[in-house]
Amino acid sequence: MNRFLLLAFFVLVSTSACFAALDRGAFTFINYDLELRVDPSGQALAARGKIILRNDSGEPQKIAAMQISSTLSWRLMQVAGKPVQFETQPYTTDIDHTGSVAEAIITLPAAVPPQGTVEIEMGYSGTISADATRLTRIGTPATVALGSDWDQISASFTAVRGIGFVAWYPVEIEAASLSSGNALFQALGDWKAREAQSSLKVNFCWINDESPLTVVANGQLLGIGRASPREEGQGITGCTPYHFAPLGLTVPTFAIGNFVALQQPLTTVYHIPEHEAVAGDYATAAQKLAPFVEQWLGQPHDRVRVVELNSAQAAPFESGGVFFTPLNSEDPKPLQLQMVHQLAHASLASDRPWIYEGVAHFLQAVEREQQDGRQAALDYMSGQLPPLVEAERAVDEAAAKGQSSPAEAERQSLINATDDVFYHTKAMYAWWMLRDMLGDQALRRALQSYRTEQDKEPSYMQRLVQAQSKQNLEWFFDDWVYRDRGLPDFQVESAYPRKLLAGEYVLTVTVKNTGDARAEVPVTAKAAQGEMSHRLLVPAKGTAVVRIRIPAAPTEAVVNDGSVPESDANNNSLKITPPPHSP
Ligand SMILES: [Zn+2]
């Protein structure tokens, strides 16, 4: 099922709510207050708490449903202090690493009217061990799959991510499969967007035999964790409360272990005791890169937080400004890119993902340029392009079939995007294009003048950038930020050389754009002895002409050096055959 069929399915479900018993999209989970008991040696988790659900459908709802990971079991369900009837069913879906959830279907004591709320007290328990079923069943080799789905509770390594990885807190999402193109990411993006204003408070408690453990999560720490002995011979226990409020697009993630915190002026690295030296390499890298990030974003207002994943195969993961990663400093270049990303988060706060994440990804590309030059940066960006081309193609195909209303066309505009391929990759390119158009200085001043508390409307960033560049950028923000117009596709339609008296040439190049987004793009005249480039604004579904002076006979005209993302970069050059009798 592609992303738009899925959307159509959602609409179908919600409009038929009065007939169907279960509307999985009816309730928004607006407030969580949980206590989690984690026993690493038993791989066990037990939770108890309260969740407030708000009915955001247009119909009264008598049935509510909640999903948790399939290795957990529901134990308790109460409303207003009284047990309520509920049934549990296994439900196949790839929102959880096990490829399935345990769904509780709860009959409420009274129907909840539209916009009404109900508080449900619930408990659940079970185990969370490493499980990559959702990946192995679509053919991913087990070692690769477990490197991606590394979440687990165990004596040697406890780290668990939330929505999209492990349903360790209750959610409710219509089934989505990894084998259906972008559908899973779309469903997860929709859920996160819905929950962005919600609050999740969790008291993380642990039980251990001998030594105290530390809890690190990517929310706000509400108090210092204290350890206390349990009954004679029962080991020790402790709790650390964290608050995720508002949740935003954060994936609530916790790690529990025998961590030591390495504190440097800008950075805290939580590492296992044996890895102090490599933890120091991370902090040093951040320290060295701080002046570079400060040039762009000003002084950091927050610390860089790195949490060690004590599993060398685990893929690094970043959310909520905290970076979870195995520590490895053998190759300094990727480490520098990671630290630039985290420094960007520590320096630029924004509730808009295309700004918060987009700028962090953009500065990674700029750092890649610092390392090995512009071509390396363009290669780094184009390595991330294929999923964006794929996602934009899905939008185009839906539009061609008439499935997309104007409101839908705005769905994955950068300003509204909930799918990370847009607010990571497309946003990275948008910032890079702005930099190419305006220059470093104007863009740096614009970014440094940004204040998240003043960002009340989508055009705020446009006004800051225009104030610094003295250029009207309405067209750019319209085509790349406020609307999802897909990607351009450039071709060199024609290229005519003319020899000038002084031995120079002028190459007249006509560039065609068959896409729906305008862009300013470099056009290059190449000769055996060198090349000359000009920038050209090419309209959507149109052509533009540029004349390039070059001191030798041009042999080729090329549009786009890779700095503008386009749907097909294989049709961008035209070889020039010399005129039959040159003067
Ligand atoms: Zn990030």
Side-chain angles (χ1 to χ4, degrees), residues 5 24 63 138 208 359 371 454 504:
L5 288 174
R24 291 196 171 85
I63 305 284
I138 56 168
N208 201 28
V359 168
Q371 292 172 343
Q454 289 168 20
E504 283 189 325

Side-chain angles (χ1 to χ4, degrees), residues 224-297:
I224 305 298
R226 278 202 190 80
S228 53
R230 302 176 78 213
E231 283 170 37
E232 189 62 30
Q234 300 276 302
I236 52 175
T237 183
C239 296
T240 308
Y242 278 90
H243 202 185
F244 303 80
L247 265 169
L249 299 183
T250 299
V251 176
T253 301
F254 65 88
I256 301 179
N258 181 19
F259 290 121
V260 178
L262 177 82
Q263 303 274 4
Q264 296 269 328
L266 293 171
T267 314
T268 305
V269 184
Y270 297 90
H271 62 90
I272 61 168
E274 306 87 272
H275 293 166
E276 189 178 348
V278 63
D281 292 342
Y282 278 69
T284 305
Q287 199 71 40
K288 283 191 184 150
L289 289 159
F292 163 73
V293 176
E294 195 177 324
Q295 269 186 333
W296 282 92
L297 304 176

Side-chain angles (χ1 to χ4, degrees), residues 318-322 341-342 345 356-358 360-361 364 423-424:
E318 188 260 328
S319 181
V322 178
H341 188 103
Q342 297 314 118
H345 284 335
Y356 181 73
E357 283 298 339
H361 283 265
Q364 287 184 277
Y423 65 76
H424 288 174

Side-chain angles (χ1 to χ4, degrees), residues 22 33 46 53 100 152 157 223 231 266 345 355 377 388 390 396 409 415 417 503 541 547:
L22 179 56
D33 191 350
L53 274 55
S100 177
Q152 60 186 282
F157 171 45
E231 283 170 37
L266 293 171
H345 284 335
I355 296 174
L388 175 61
E390 181 59 37
D396 286 348
I415 209 85
K541 294 258 188 297
R547 288 179 183 79

